[in-house]
Amino acid sequence: MKILSWQRFNIGLRLILCGGPLLVCVFSLAEFPQAGGWWMLGIGAGLIALMLAAPAVVITTNSTAVWLIAVPFWAVRIGRDDIASITSVDVRPLEDFGGWGVKGSSRKKGLLLAANGQQAVQITRDNGQVFLATSDDPEQVIAAIVPERA
């Protein structure tokens, strides 16, 4: 598998993702010194480390498919035979889709994976499904995918 784009969530988004694990840690303090509190604190701390280090939007490809991944939450596989079109678009995550992360919009008719920025790769399937993934260099991603489709 070849990684075409790796775009990390900005620090503000990663800190927001830490909210849930932080609550797990806070509630585990109520269970100390019993054994239940220790394992909850360990899970919460592990999740906080994961949310600070991992979240990113990744576009990868191999000979049969293109993967759009919101690490570590979600992924979609798009078969090369299912791609009707692939283009570079400007997207406004907050205005068009209501924020960053994995967002859907009936108004824009698509699913957005947004980490940072306003440039995105838009892939439309033969069945009309539209997927957008933010990328620092969408033209390079398209150039890497299109020749392999021919």
Side-chain angles (χ1 to χ4, degrees):
M1 227 179 222
K2 181 179 177 183
I3 295 175
L4 303 177
S5 174
W6 181 284
Q7 189 179 53
R8 290 191 59 164
F9 282 43
N10 66 33
I11 189 66
L13 293 173
R14 286 185 275 157
L15 289 173
I16 289 170
L17 291 173
C18 289
L22 183 63
L23 287 175
V24 170
C25 290
V26 168
F27 289 127
S28 72
L29 294 176
E31 293 294 320
F32 281 143
Q34 295 143 354
W38 290 105
W39 70 266
M40 284 177 58
L41 184 62
I43 289 173
L47 288 173
I48 287 173
L50 181 66
M51 292 304 111
L52 287 175
V57 171
V58 181
I59 303 171
T60 65
T61 187
N62 61 19
S63 61
T64 61
V66 175
W67 287 85
L68 305 178
I69 307 166
V71 177
F73 311 107
W74 187 87
V76 64
R77 179 189 178 274
I78 303 169
R80 289 189 178 277
D81 298 337
D82 295 339
I83 296 175
S85 67
I86 181 167
T87 58
S88 172
V89 295
D90 287 332
V91 65
R92 300 170 310 175
L94 190 59
E95 293 87 357
D96 297 340
F97 289 87
W100 292 266
V102 179
K103 299 288 184 176
S105 172
S106 59
R107 182 176 49 153
K108 285 290 185 178
K109 303 285 187 220
L111 186 72
L112 173 71
L113 283 73
N116 205 356
Q118 294 185 333
Q119 295 180 320
V121 174
Q122 177 177 310
I123 299 176
T124 305
R125 281 184 166 170
D126 289 331
N127 64 7
Q129 286 181 314
V130 176
F131 296 95
L132 295 101
T134 57
S135 174
D136 292 328
D137 191 0
E139 297 300 330
Q140 179 183 351
V141 172
I142 293 168
I145 293 171
V146 172
E148 295 176 13
R149 288 184 60 209

